[in-house]
Amino acid sequence: MGVVGVRRAPAWWAAGVVALLVIVSAVLSGLPGDDGRAVRAAPGPPGAVVPASQGAWVGAWSAAPTGSEPSTRDGLGGQSLRNVVQVSAGGTAVRVELSNRYGSQPVTFTRASVGLAVEPGSAEAVVDSVVPLAFGGGAAVTIPVGGVVLSDAVSLAVEPATRLLVSVYAPGPSGPVTYHRHARETNFAARGEHTAEVSGAAYTATSEHWRYLTGVQVFSPASPGAVVVLGDSLTDGISSTPGAGHRWTDFLAARLEGTPVLNLGISGNRLLRDGSPGRSYNGASGLSRLHSDVLRQEGATVLVVQLGINDILRAPREPDAGEIVAGLERLAAEGRESGLRVVGATLMPYEGHYAWSEGGEAVRQEVNERLRAGGVFDGLIDLDAALRDPADPSRLLPAYDSGDALHPTDAGFRAMAEAVDPALLMGVEPAAVL
């Protein structure tokens, strides 16, 4: 899955950012949960104490909660839920984050585990790899309404692009399940308590959602910090091949060779407005998600913003490019104030999509012109230039069009990742439009 021709970061940069990561990790580890409760602190990796200079915790996978799963009013009590995720960085220990952000009552898990998946699309684990999870030393944990918990650390060696199985079991009913709607992975459920099982035989029910799980962190001896991507369906990767790990953030992680890339894409997400009441699963505005989703990510050093196209094409449509640019400026400023390097992206073509209009195209072009002029972000990824059809620049290149004129093919997602100069994220040279 690697990409040929990646430019490696200089050794002096990696050493400097590792030092910065230690500081950022210390700050982020104390962030409150969504309801104001502190995220449960977890001890370091088991065994001998490891000095901070020899490693740090960093996010290796993430998913933004998109709402409460339909038809789960009383939760999924009496079932084991097995989530399948692909981490973007390796390490020697793991801890996981579970969320009840959209629950209506506390949810209690009496068992949880993490293990290595045998292969994509399977609930089977690698033999002897399933490890029980604890929370504050106990097997059971209750997550309050709107709350988040972080497990204790467990020793588990993982490599970049490894798929993990994270399983939880709630014996009784609870409120609606907090979920991420478009996983692009096959996830599983089983009747009864099967979290410790290597076999996937009991996991006969499948789902396209991630349930309760919102993050996986690894203890890395030399991580340069995490790149967090805040975006919409283009980042969520809803047109990528299921189970293939072909979102543009997956391709980017492969290019960065072990640097964590955290995907916080939500389909339909807008920069300036929350999802409408009938489409609450489109998430809160990108401006508010900086605080609820981005800043809680362990080891975050860089924020990439891929937002704005839904403000143009979704009703009520934003007719003023200045409003979108002002929103991006605010997002960038608040990200910098929180210690992040903030990189933006131009808005990609979408002529041929049912919501395209000449007025909307004019807004898109003006937004892109103002972003290219500089002054908004610390750097800019020109996704428009990378994916447009040179013969018809308001459209995607046919090879990159999944069929709806908006969402890319796997090749298009790869092209998005290849449009990123790693040095731009690292800030080792003056920020410039690619």
Side-chain angles (χ1 to χ4, degrees):
M1 191 163 117
V3 178
V4 177
V6 63
R7 294 198 290 172
R8 296 180 182 275
W12 63 263
W13 175 86
V17 179
V18 168
L20 175 62
L21 175 59
V22 173
I23 298 172
V24 174
S25 297
V27 174
L28 293 183
S29 63
L31 286 177
D34 298 313
D35 64 341
R37 296 176 173 84
V39 175
R40 186 184 299 267
V49 175
V50 179
S53 61
Q54 295 182 21
W57 285 102
V58 65
W61 175 88
S62 65
T66 57
S68 56
E69 183 179 347
S71 304
T72 62
R73 183 189 64 181
D74 299 321
L76 294 171
Q79 297 185 50
S80 296
L81 308 177
R82 181 158 281 186
N83 296 286
V84 181
V85 303
Q86 178 175 301
V87 296
S88 58
T92 57
V94 171
R95 57 191 188 187
V96 306
E97 181 186 83
L98 304 174
S99 174
N100 192 26
R101 182 186 295 184
Y102 293 102
S104 61
Q105 64 187 73
V107 57
T108 297
F109 297 111
T110 56
R111 292 288 186 274
S113 69
V114 61
L116 306 178
V118 168
E119 59 185 358
S122 171
E124 184 178 356
V126 173
V127 174
D128 296 329
S129 73
V130 178
V131 183
L133 291 171
F135 301 84
V141 64
T142 297
I143 311 177
V145 174
V148 176
V149 296
L150 188 65
S151 76
D152 301 345
V154 294
S155 293
L156 185 67
V158 297
E159 298 292 333
T162 296
R163 275 185 168 77
L164 298 181
L165 304 176
V166 180
S167 307
V168 296
Y169 174 73
S174 64
V177 173
T178 294
Y179 82 133
H180 181 89
R181 187 168 179 242
H182 294 293
R184 306 308 286 173
E185 291 278 1
T186 301
N187 300 288
F188 302 90
R191 292 287 179 185
E193 202 286 287
H194 300 278
T195 60
E197 293 180 8
V198 170
S199 170
Y203 290 90
T204 56
T206 61
S207 168
E208 63 179 9
H209 314 310
W210 285 310
R211 292 160 163 163
Y212 294 115
L213 181 66
T214 52
V216 175
Q217 300 174 8
V218 298
F219 190 82
S220 173
S223 172
V227 176
V228 182
V229 185
L230 182 66
D232 51 37
S233 58
L234 303 178
T235 293
D236 209 4
I238 65 169
S239 53
S240 64
T241 299
H246 284 175
R247 306 166 196 84
W248 82 280
T249 52
D250 298 322
F251 287 121
L252 180 59
R255 291 199 69 205
L256 299 181
E257 297 182 313
T259 295
V261 179
L262 304 180
N263 186 317
L264 293 178
I266 295 179
S267 178
N269 199 225
R270 300 176 63 153
L271 171 69
L272 303 175
R273 293 176 179 266
D274 296 342
S276 64
R279 299 179 65 91
S280 59
Y281 49 77
N282 290 158
S285 73
L287 286 170
S288 63
R289 290 213 295 132
L290 173 70
H291 302 277
S292 63
D293 292 341
V294 174
L295 298 182
R296 70 182 308 110
Q297 300 304 319
E298 189 74 24
T301 56
V302 179
L303 169 62
V304 176
V305 179
Q306 179 278 302
L307 283 172
I309 196 66
N310 284 320
D311 295 81
I312 296 174
L313 62 83
R314 287 195 179 277
R317 298 177 180 179
E318 178 52 63
D320 186 351
E323 290 294 320
I324 295 175
V325 174
L328 293 172
E329 288 175 331
R330 177 182 159 193
L331 190 58
E334 292 182 3
R336 289 190 200 99
E337 290 171 1
S338 300
L340 300 175
R341 175 175 174 80
V342 186
V343 175
T346 54
L347 308 186
M348 286 164 42
Y350 72 109
E351 185 177 355
H353 187 265
Y354 73 89
W356 185 89
S357 68
E358 291 185 357
E361 178 65 13
V363 173
R364 185 183 75 88
Q365 294 286 1
E366 183 177 346
V367 169
N368 285 348
E369 288 175 9
R370 293 176 66 169
L371 293 181
R372 291 181 180 119
V376 177
F377 296 108
D378 300 320
L380 188 67
I381 305 165
D382 202 337
L383 296 179
D384 172 43
L387 273 78
R388 68 192 178 200
D389 184 349
D392 194 355
S394 62
R395 294 177 180 269
L396 291 171
L397 192 71
Y400 297 157
D401 182 359
S402 67
D404 67 357
L406 174 65
H407 297 99
T409 57
D410 288 3
F413 285 122
R414 183 185 290 273
M416 291 173 69
E418 291 176 344
V420 180
D421 182 347
L424 186 72
L425 302 178
M426 298 166 184
V428 298
E429 60 187 35
V433 176
L434 297 181

